[in-house]
Amino acid sequence: MNFFLVATLSLAAFATVAGCASPPADLDLSLTRPSAAGKYVVKLEPPATPAAINQLHAWRVVLASPAGAPVPRARIAVDGGMPQHGHGLPTRPLVTQEAPAGTYVVEGMKFSMTGWWEIRLAIDGPAGADKVTFNTIVSEPRVAQASAQ
Amino acid sequence: MNPAASAMPGLKLVLRRIGGVAFASAVALAAIARADPAPTAADAERWSQADRDVLASLSLKRLPSTPDDPSNAVQRSPAAAELGRRLFEDARFSRDGTVACATCHDPARQFQDGLPVARGVGTGSRRTMPLAGAGHGAWLFWDGRKDSLWAQALGPLEDAAEHGGNRTRDAHLVARNHSADYERVFGAMPDLDGLPMDAGPGGSPSEKSAWDALSESQRESVSRVFSNMGKAIAAYEASLRHEPTRLDRYIDAVVAGEPAGPVALSPGEVRGLRLFIGKAQCASCHNGPLFTDQQFHNTGVPPRDPAKPDRGRAGATAKVRDDEFNCLGPFSDARPAQCQELRFMVTDDPAMEGAFRTPSLRGAAQRPPYMHAGQFATLERVVRHYMEAPTAASGRSELAHRPSIGRRGAPTGRAPIELTDAEVGDLVRFLHTMDADR
């Protein structure tokens, strides 16, 4: 399938989301964020190859202290959903392996439709429990501009 | 009614939700809302770039071939598909000799029966699903209690209300009537001499006790034949494909930037298509070339029997996890690492209570009645259900009512689906553009 995940903020991304439920204009799509209580700095890395709709894929989470030191051996639970549609993720993603430097592999990610998705992480590490929510926009790929007018 | 005026409430809603930042997009949407109903060959050029991206995603051209099923080594085997077709049409695989897979999945009716609930040797509790494209989803049945085409095919064979058969009888019937075809695909049939005619783990008390009396290796041999029946039927079902419809030809012309010309939709159908991908929100779940997200949603469809609310997906995750014919089971051809959908299955989401799988809309206009137990007789009734958004009998509906929106600056939550009578008619007209040619 030729659907692609577009994790950048753009009007084009908004416009190609079907169903008329445009995400908030000020939606924060940054992929590096402090956790809610400031205990960690969390970076979310999308797959290198854009993920297709309804295909399982993997993301990576890079966990650091506020000072930038890698945080290994944390437990991370993954949740999420579509705030504008009232449903959760179609799968229950799991951290399946821990890589060096506070990097965690999250497998079992899946998006079943275009639009605004939240990815919520519950982190339990050496500095205690904390949470962080990321936003991402899944949109259709662009087709070629019409030549006939 | 003036179509431009009738579109205005939706337009106002759109403008409020988008806000000033995306004003340019709003202007584009306004242009769409004022679309001229007059039929002209220039319809194709009226779609914005964003619309064309969405339209392209719905074309049958975007559908890949049926994905490989690692749990079924013979899914792509033509010999298996031919055996599967014979098994599919063979009514001897039923308690009274009258019910084949093809009885409910009628090849002449898009492989379904047109009944509210299936009628085999008894009466079922849900609507028969069509089969074209069925191999594209991770989960089968309305509640996803099976994780492959072949595991799905086995369920009805043993179900008391459907075929009412049992495993040893089915194995004996394969040996008697299909052994050459079977052995060409799966190798030698096991020796069934001395096995009782009627025994199985899910049948009557006498069938169950006869099954329990078999040795473990006998049970394994019989279940192996039984699972191979499913794999052959799955190979046949995987070969059942949708044909392009009038809508596909129209979309392909629009995307290519060509005048729709002879494949043009009527003005009402075009308006319906705009609604479908726009404010009617249909394309939220009915997305992609099969018009389904393949997921489970509670939309508050009333249960057929109010005394027996159907739990849908919530009642099915344990079944598929514990199914001996699942991807991880002893009859699967997959390595455990290939069973990713089971591994990452959602099992504890309260939203799965009363949730059912989004059905494909290809050919749906020719397949009344609608919903998981045939609750609605017409497409118009279906559309009005989504507008009414009734409270769910079990679980919680994802649909929204008007009071849940309008919080300024916080466009979260779902917008209600608000359509005029004329727009309901246009949506139904549009759905007929996916009618199968035969």
Side-chain angles (χ1 to χ4, degrees), chain A residues 47-103:
Chain A
T49 307
I53 292 266
N54 259 336
Q55 299 294 303
L56 289 165
H57 57 279
W59 291 56
R60 290 158 79 90
V61 174
V62 182
L63 196 61
S65 70
V71 177
R73 293 182 298 282
R75 287 198 302 274
I76 302 174
V78 185
D79 197 0
M82 300 193 83
Q84 291 172 313
H85 291 271
H87 63 74
L89 293 175
T91 54
R92 176 55 38 81
L94 299 168
V95 171
T96 54
Q97 53 179 301
E98 185 179 341
T103 299

Side-chain angles (χ1 to χ4, degrees), chain A residues 54 92 110 113 142-144 148, chain B residues 49 53 257 293 341 344 348:
Chain A
N54 259 336
R92 176 55 38 81
K110 187 193 263 191
M113 61 176 80
R142 311 301 303 273
V143 296
Chain B
Q49 177 66 37
D53 294 343
D293 63 357
E341 295 287 351
F344 299 112
D348 56 355

Side-chain angles (χ1 to χ4, degrees), chain B residues 280-303:
Chain B
Q281 303 181 36
C282 312
S284 297
C285 296
H286 293 286
N287 63 6
L290 290 178
F291 289 77
T292 168
D293 63 357
Q294 307 283 6
Q295 302 306 321
F296 303 92
H297 300 278
N298 183 335
T299 57
V301 176

Side-chain angles (χ1 to χ4, degrees), chain B residues 12-284:
Chain B
K12 281 177 192 160
L13 176 66
V14 166
L15 286 168
R16 189 161 65 229
R17 294 171 65 76
I18 289 178
V21 175
F23 183 69
S25 298
V27 169
L29 284 164
I32 292 166
R34 279 190 227 106
D36 182 352
T40 79
D43 269 348
E45 281 71 52
R46 286 222 195 81
W47 296 99
S48 70
Q49 177 66 37
D51 290 334
R52 293 167 65 246
D53 294 343
V54 174
L55 293 182
S57 75
L58 301 173
S59 169
L60 197 59
K61 280 187 174 172
R62 283 281 180 91
L63 187 69
S65 59
T66 307
D68 276 327
D69 175 2
S71 73
N72 181 2
V74 303
Q75 180 162 292
R76 288 186 187 273
S77 154
E82 178 54 23
L83 169 62
R85 187 187 61 77
R86 290 169 195 264
L87 299 176
F88 188 89
E89 294 171 352
D90 189 340
R92 288 171 292 198
F93 292 103
S94 64
R95 192 170 64 223
D96 61 4
T98 65
V99 176
C101 303
T103 303
C104 296
H105 298 284
D106 181 353
R109 307 182 68 164
Q110 296 187 36
F111 292 88
Q112 54 88 52
D113 54 13
L115 298 171
V117 292
R119 199 179 298 150
V121 297
T123 301
S125 58
R126 300 216 185 109
R127 174 90 169 88
T128 301
M129 304 187 88
L131 297 179
H136 287 267
W139 311 107
L140 280 293
F141 284 124
W142 283 103
D143 58 7
R145 65 184 182 277
K146 293 286 189 173
D147 68 343
S148 69
L149 278 181
W150 67 270
Q152 186 281 328
L154 299 176
L157 289 170
E158 290 189 295
D159 188 286
E162 299 182 63
H163 297 243
N166 61 68
R167 276 185 214 180
T168 56
R169 178 172 285 264
D170 285 356
H172 283 301
L173 287 166
V174 170
R176 192 181 300 160
N177 303 309
H178 300 279
S179 65
D181 287 343
Y182 178 96
E183 293 190 342
R184 198 172 297 128
V185 178
F186 298 108
M189 281 286 292
D191 181 9
L192 303 173
D193 281 353
L195 293 188
M197 194 60 188
D198 292 301
S204 66
S206 69
E207 288 167 6
K208 279 185 192 167
S209 62
W211 181 255
D212 291 340
L214 300 180
S215 72
E216 194 175 323
S217 75
Q218 286 173 319
R219 287 197 294 263
E220 200 277 341
S221 292
V222 171
S223 293
R224 179 71 58 187
V225 174
F226 187 61
S227 63
N228 284 341
M229 289 175 67
K231 290 176 183 179
I233 293 170
Y236 169 58
E237 291 177 343
S239 72
L240 305 174
R241 301 199 171 92
H242 289 284
E243 295 296 323
T245 70
R246 216 151 54 83
L247 176 66
D248 295 298
R249 293 187 282 276
Y250 174 78
I251 288 176
D252 294 344
V254 168
V255 171
E258 297 163 359
V263 297
L265 304 188
S266 75
E269 289 166 342
V270 171
R271 288 194 301 270
L273 174 53
R274 288 192 196 284
L275 292 165
F276 188 90
I277 66 171
K279 75 170 186 175
Q281 303 181 36
C282 312
S284 297

Side-chain angles (χ1 to χ4, degrees), chain B residues 280-339:
Chain B
Q281 303 181 36
C282 312
S284 297
C285 296
H286 293 286
N287 63 6
L290 290 178
F291 289 77
T292 168
D293 63 357
Q294 307 283 6
Q295 302 306 321
F296 303 92
H297 300 278
N298 183 335
T299 57
V301 176
R304 184 159 195 84
D305 179 354
K308 292 186 208 159
D310 190 334
R311 299 191 64 202
R313 182 57 171 166
T317 54
K319 287 180 189 167
V320 67
R321 187 195 59 213
D322 299 338
D323 181 15
E324 65 181 310
F325 299 117
N326 73 17
C327 183
L328 291 165
F331 304 100
S332 165
D333 300 320
R335 289 177 284 110
Q338 294 175 299
C339 303

